[in-house]
């Protein structure tokens, strides 16, 4: 099961950056995000998986598709990228990937087995941690994120609105 | 942790996803596709946080909350970026990075 979703992620993320039709690459990105959410389900973080599905796959991809429809023609294809540019970009990315993977394989992770614990994380614990200010409490980042989201929404409206002449 | 799957397999998948995003960021010339490559990179990092949390510190929730906050920041970032892209389209009539080279003032 894991390897199925892993191959979905790898294949569709490559298709996302190589597809020459912009709407198709948005749909491939949607598949990648859904497979990511499946990873979270497999790790038993169901709340996080639901948030991923609702916000990423439901919100951001729809926003991207809307802006694609507003700014480009559907049937339009991107011009073929030059071989030189593709080669050097692939060289940079591949070198980085090989370096990271070799480092990962050499590092000895101290994996802790949680005793075959498969019970999912209760949402009550998540809510308590979000509102708590002691140890394991996250009320400050929660408030900061709230302000950030509000500021981003206002900023987006101000930037995108039509200017009166 | 998931039975029979070592942490390294997760990390290799996210590494590949991240560097595919880097490749797209370098190759693409359309602002929206650049934004999509950025989402790929952000997403792979969020998976990494969750996996480290689950495999190395199963009793804690820091990584879990960090990726929850990453998802919220990604939503804010996408909203602002798309507002900027739409504004750029109004001014220049296309959204290729090569054509958008001068600012207003």
């Amino acid at each position: 099961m894991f390897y199925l979703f892993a191959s979905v992620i790898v294949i569709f993320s490559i298709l996302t950056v190589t597809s020459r039709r912009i709407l198709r690459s948005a749909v491939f990105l949607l598949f990648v995000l859904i497979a990511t959410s499946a990873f979270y389900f497999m790790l038993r973080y169901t709340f996080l998986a639901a948030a991923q599905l609702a916000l990423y796959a439901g919100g951001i991809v729809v926003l991207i598709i809307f802006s694609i429809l507003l700014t480009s023609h559907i049937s339009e294809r991107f011009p073929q990228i030059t071989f030189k540019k593709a080669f050097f970009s692939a060289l940079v990315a591949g070198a980085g990937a090989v370096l990271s993977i070799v480092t990962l394989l050499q590092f000895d992770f101290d994996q802790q087995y949680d005793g075959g614990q498969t019970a999912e994380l209760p949402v009550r614990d998540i809510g308590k941690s979000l509102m708590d200010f002691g140890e394991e409490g996250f009320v400050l980042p929660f408030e900061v994120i709230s302000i950030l989201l509000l500021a981003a929404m206002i900023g987006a409206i101000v930037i995108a609105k039509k200017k009166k002449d | 942790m998931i039975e029979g799957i070592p942490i390294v397999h997760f990390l290799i998948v996210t590494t590949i996803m991240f560097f595919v995003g880097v490749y797209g960021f370098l190759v693409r010339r359309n602002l929206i596709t650049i934004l999509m490559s950025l989402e790929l990179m952000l997403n792979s990092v969020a998976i990494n946080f969750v996996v480290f949390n689950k495999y190395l510190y199963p009793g804690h929730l820091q990584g879990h909350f960090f990726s929850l906050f990453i998802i919220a920041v990604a939503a804010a970032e996408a909203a602002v970026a798309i507002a900027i892209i739409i504004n750029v389209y109004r001014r220049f009539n296309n959204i290729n990075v090569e054509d958008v080279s001068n600012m207003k003032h």
Side-chain angles (χ1 to χ4, degrees), chain A residues 51-93:
Chain A
Q52 165 91 11
L53 268 185
L55 271 170
Y56 252 119
I60 294 178
V61 170
V62 169
L63 210 62
I64 288 176
I65 287 179
F66 262 112
S67 61
I68 289 170
L69 296 181
L70 284 173
T71 54
S72 43
H73 302 285
I74 309 277
S75 52
E76 184 188 306
R77 282 161 169 257
F78 291 131
Q80 189 86 42
I81 45 174
T82 57
F83 175 75
K84 193 179 159 199
K85 185 195 250 173
F87 176 74
F88 282 111
S89 305
L91 196 71
V92 170

Side-chain angles (χ1 to χ4, degrees), chain A residues 96-152:
Chain A
V98 167
L99 193 67
S100 307
I101 289 175
V102 166
T103 316
L104 278 178
L105 288 176
Q106 281 173 354
F107 191 80
D108 184 27
F109 286 103
D110 176 29
Q111 291 183 35
Q112 294 188 1
Y113 188 54
D114 53 355
Q117 176 200 352
T118 49
E120 65 182 74
L121 187 66
V123 181
R124 180 188 294 266
D125 287 0
I126 298 172
K128 271 186 180 158
S129 300
L130 271 182
M131 285 296 155
D132 197 9
F133 53 80
E135 221 162 275
E136 302 264 315
F138 293 89
V139 73
L140 182 65
F142 183 72
E143 294 295 332
V144 171
I145 282 289
S146 320
I147 305 271
L148 174 77
L149 273 175
L150 181 67

Side-chain angles (χ1 to χ4, degrees), chain A residues 2-3 6 9-10 13-14 16-19 22 25-26 29 32-33 36 39-40 42-43 45 47-48 51-52 55-56 60 63-64 67-68 70-71 78 81 85-86 89-90 93 96-97 100-101 104-105 109-114 121 126 129-130 136 138 141-142 145 148-149 152 156 159-162, chain B residues 1-3 5-13 15-17 19-20 22-24 26-30 32-33 35-37 39-40 42-43 46-47 50-58 60-62 64-65 67-69 71-76 78-80 82-87 89-90 95 98:
Chain A
F2 167 79
Y3 296 101
I9 281 187
V10 170
S13 49
I14 291 171
T16 304
V17 297
T18 52
S19 167
I22 186 163
S25 64
L29 179 70
V32 173
L33 297 177
T36 306
F39 268 11
Y40 294 158
M42 285 162 63
L43 289 167
Y45 286 137
F47 180 76
L48 188 62
Q52 165 91 11
L55 271 170
Y56 252 119
I60 294 178
L63 210 62
I64 288 176
S67 61
I68 289 170
L70 284 173
T71 54
F78 291 131
I81 45 174
K85 185 195 250 173
S89 305
S100 307
I101 289 175
L104 278 178
L105 288 176
F109 286 103
D110 176 29
Q111 291 183 35
Q112 294 188 1
Y113 188 54
D114 53 355
L121 187 66
I126 298 172
S129 300
L130 271 182
E136 302 264 315
F138 293 89
F142 183 72
I145 282 289
L148 174 77
L149 273 175
I159 291 171
K161 82 174 181 202
K162 276 211 172 87
Chain B
M1 69 185 289
I2 300 174
E3 199 85 53
I5 294 165
I7 184 172
V8 179
H9 291 191
F10 270 105
L11 297 182
I12 287 174
V13 171
T15 307
I16 292 172
M17 195 172 162
F19 282 102
V20 167
V22 170
Y23 172 77
L26 293 172
V27 158
R28 294 291 194 151
R29 280 293 160 262
N30 183 306
I32 293 177
T33 47
L35 183 68
M36 290 198 288
S37 312
E39 297 290 347
L40 273 182
L42 215 57
N43 209 47
I47 299 178
V50 174
V51 170
F52 278 127
N53 188 176
K54 189 73 178 179
Y55 274 72
L56 302 186
Y57 304 97
H60 301 268
L61 285 179
Q62 268 91 351
H64 174 267
F65 280 111
S67 34
L68 213 56
F69 292 136
I71 291 176
V73 170
V80 174
I82 281 169
I84 292 174
I85 288 172
I86 288 176
N87 217 7
Y89 181 72
R90 257 192 220 131
I95 48 171
E98 277 130 357

Side-chain angles (χ1 to χ4, degrees), chain B residues 16 34 52 59 73 75 78-79 86 91 98 100-104:
Chain B
I16 292 172
I34 289 179
F52 278 127
V73 170
I86 288 176
R91 182 171 295 273
E98 277 130 357
V100 185
S101 58
N102 52 334
M103 295 179 86
K104 189 175 172 188

